[in-house]
């Protein structure tokens, strides 16, 4: 990362503030439409398949973009790439103010996903390079603010709609924090050629089975997240809840994601073996998805809190675990980018699969059962993450 004449501690504080300002923008565009889907449908006539694209398409672009981002970062540099990405992300939210129909709205979601893709690929490497002694804590903060941004989107949109704003201006307001982060990045970030990853590194890492294990585990977990932000509000609205109450439930889930995304990496920082904590994240998700599927009205706040805590902590610990695999920040950053890239491609199928099961069964409950099975599958993948074998795993070609 950039060199600076500022004292290291002062520069690190500035970078940490930037990391948090940027992170808060990486989820609101996904969570904001969920609580107001009924208003969107009433005006645009979009069906469940089209609505699923509001989550599926940006998740797919975050996946594809993460594969492309290391080469793009090597070509144009970290600073320029992040500035462009923030501009694209902010434009995607702002254009929702004038989106005339469903196709245009899906296009804005694609812009947001493309912007988020580069940022998510670049920031883990920045964290490892700039905060080498505090990777779990800073990654936890980054993940907490990322998830907190999801809570902001889920809560702000119905609040604005209930106060007389239409759903378009309510969604467009999410451009404001992106513009704030863009201004901060202009002043704080600088660039150097040494920040740029080896263009051939992506291919080398993709020839290692461990990279694919990380991808599949990350993807199956985040498929549950993408389905929850897409359909949880609609699920409870189908059970008689108002848009405001269902939005509050999504916001509660996101708040618990943020809290757990910070707490578990901090708890796990004393040992490089993260497997016990990773299993704990899966247990929380399992209880949450089982509650949604089989007892949705019994304790919905508990199910949302547990599911959110499990998803949030799993996200941040997955990043920390991937960073643990390689000692050099530029290599570890590319590994995380690939994990997120392939993982988001898998995760993007979650809302579509849940919508398909809804069309077949007439209920969202089978979708939650599907994600419960995904959680069970990831348990066996997490067992492979023995830190004493990381070096061997990253040296072994397919």
């Amino acid at each position: 990362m950039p060199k600076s004449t500022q004292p290291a501690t002062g520069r690190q504080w500035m970078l940490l503030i930037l990391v948090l300002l940027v992170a808060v923008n990486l989820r609101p565009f996904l969570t904001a439409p969920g609580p107001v889907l009924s208003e969107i449908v009433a005006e645009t006539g979009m069906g469940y398949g089209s609505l699923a694209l509001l989550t599926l398409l940006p998740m797919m672009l975050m996946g594809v973009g993460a594969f492309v981002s290391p080469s793009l970062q090597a070509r144009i540099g970290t600073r320029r790439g992040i500035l462009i990405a923030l501009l694209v992300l902010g434009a995607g939210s702002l254009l929702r103010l004038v989106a005339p129909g469903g196709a245009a709205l899906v296009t804005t979601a694609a812009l947001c996903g493309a912007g988020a893709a580069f940022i998510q690929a670049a920031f883990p490497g920045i964290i490892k390079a700039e905060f080498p002694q505090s990777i779990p804590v800073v990654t936890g903060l980054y993940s907490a603010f990322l998830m907190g941004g999801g809570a902001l989107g889920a809560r702000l949109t119905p609040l604005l709609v209930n106060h007389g704003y239409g759903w378009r201006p309510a969604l467009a307001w999410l451009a404001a924090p992106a513009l704030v982060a863009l201004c901060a990045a202009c002043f704080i970030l600088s660039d150097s050629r040494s920040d740029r990853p080896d263009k051939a590194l992506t291919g080398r890492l993709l020839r290692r089975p461990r990279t694919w294990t990380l991808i599949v585990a990350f993807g199956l977990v985040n498929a549950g997240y993408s389905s929850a932000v897409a359909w949880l509000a609609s699920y409870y609205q189908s059970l008689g809840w108002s848009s405001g109450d269902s939005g509050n439930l999504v916001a509660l889930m996101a708040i618990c994601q943020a809290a757990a995304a910070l707490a578990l990496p901090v708890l796990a920082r004393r040992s490089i073996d993260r497997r016990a904590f990773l299993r704990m994240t899966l247990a929380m998700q399992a209880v949450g998805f089982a509650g949604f599927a089989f007892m949705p009205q019994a304790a919905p706040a508990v199910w949302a809190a547990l599911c959110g805590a499990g998803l949030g902590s799993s996200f941040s610990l997955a990043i920390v675990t991937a960073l643990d695999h390689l000692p050099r920040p530029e290599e570890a950053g590319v590994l995380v980018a690939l994990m997120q890239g392939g993982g988001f491609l898998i995760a993007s199928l979650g809302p579509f699969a849940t919508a398909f099961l809804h069309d077949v069964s007439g209920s969202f409950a089978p979708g939650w059962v599907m994600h419960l099975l995904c959680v069970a599958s990831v348990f066996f993948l997490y067992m492979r993450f023995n830190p004493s074998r990381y070096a061997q795993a990253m040296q072994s070609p397919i």
Side-chain angles (χ1 to χ4, degrees), residues 46-69:
M46 296 172 70
Y48 280 112
S50 298
L51 291 171
L53 289 174
L54 295 178
T55 304
L56 184 152
L57 186 58
M59 293 287 281
M60 287 187 68
L61 286 170
M62 284 192 282
V64 173
F67 283 102
V68 175
S69 291

Side-chain angles (χ1 to χ4, degrees), residues 39 111 129 132 138 216 257 286:
E39 288 86 348
L111 287 173
V138 177
V216 172
Q257 283 177 317

Side-chain angles (χ1 to χ4, degrees), residues 71-381:
S71 296
L72 190 60
Q73 188 178 352
R75 181 171 300 173
I76 67 174
T78 302
R79 181 181 187 274
R80 186 182 302 174
I82 288 175
L83 293 180
I84 293 171
L86 285 169
L87 185 62
V88 171
L89 197 159
S93 290
L94 190 60
L95 287 172
R96 287 178 166 179
L97 182 63
V98 294
L105 193 61
V106 170
T107 301
T108 65
L111 287 173
C112 292
F118 185 92
I119 296 167
Q120 292 186 154
F123 263 69
I126 292 174
I127 291 170
K128 188 175 179 73
E130 296 293 343
F131 306 95
Q133 305 304 316
S134 308
I135 292 172
V137 175
V138 177
T139 301
L141 282 168
Y142 165 75
S143 302
F145 272 70
L146 184 148
M147 302 299 175
L152 173 68
R155 186 67 193 97
L156 182 63
T157 307
L159 183 65
L160 291 174
V161 169
N162 290 339
H163 281 77
Y165 289 83
W167 60 267
R168 285 189 176 87
L171 294 176
W173 265 106
L174 296 174
L179 295 177
V180 172
L182 176 62
C183 292
C186 286
F187 287 101
I188 295 172
L189 279 183
S190 57
D191 208 358
S192 72
R193 298 289 302 181
S194 60
D195 298 336
R196 306 183 183 191
D198 179 0
K199 293 180 182 180
L201 182 59
T202 297
R204 292 201 300 271
L205 290 177
L206 286 174
R207 290 194 291 272
R208 285 151 176 78
R210 177 52 55 87
T211 302
W212 292 98
T213 302
L214 289 164
I215 285 172
V216 172
F218 188 84
L220 291 177
V221 167
N222 282 278
Y225 171 80
S226 60
S227 288
V229 299
W231 301 123
L232 187 61
S234 293
Y235 178 48
Y236 276 92
Q237 287 173 24
S238 73
L239 298 176
W241 289 42
S242 68
S243 61
D245 289 339
S246 61
N248 287 339
L249 194 65
V250 176
L252 172 65
M253 183 184 74
I255 290 169
C256 292
Q257 283 177 317
L262 173 60
L264 259 73
V266 171
L267 291 174
R269 73 187 187 281
R270 298 187 183 279
S271 172
I272 197 173
D273 192 342
R274 324 284 183 186
R275 287 177 293 176
F277 291 96
L278 287 167
R279 290 194 293 267
M280 185 188 305
T281 71
L282 296 179
M284 290 188 286
Q285 292 174 55
V287 173
F289 282 125
F292 289 149
F294 303 116
M295 297 181 291
Q297 298 281 30
V302 174
W303 311 144
L306 285 173
C307 194
L311 289 167
S313 54
S314 183
F315 178 90
S316 57
L317 281 175
I319 292 177
V320 172
T321 301
L323 289 173
D324 289 340
H325 275 71
L326 291 166
R328 296 177 60 189
E330 64 273 19
E331 293 183 348
V334 173
L335 179 62
V336 173
L338 295 176
M339 178 187 73
Q340 292 186 98
F344 281 130
L345 288 175
I346 296 170
S348 69
L349 300 177
F352 185 78
T354 302
F356 173 78
L357 292 172
H358 176 276
D359 289 341
V360 171
S361 67
S363 170
F364 287 107
W368 309 133
V369 174
M370 173 189 69
H371 289 300
L372 185 60
L373 296 175
C374 289
V375 168
S377 301
V378 174
F379 176 87
F380 297 100
L381 297 179

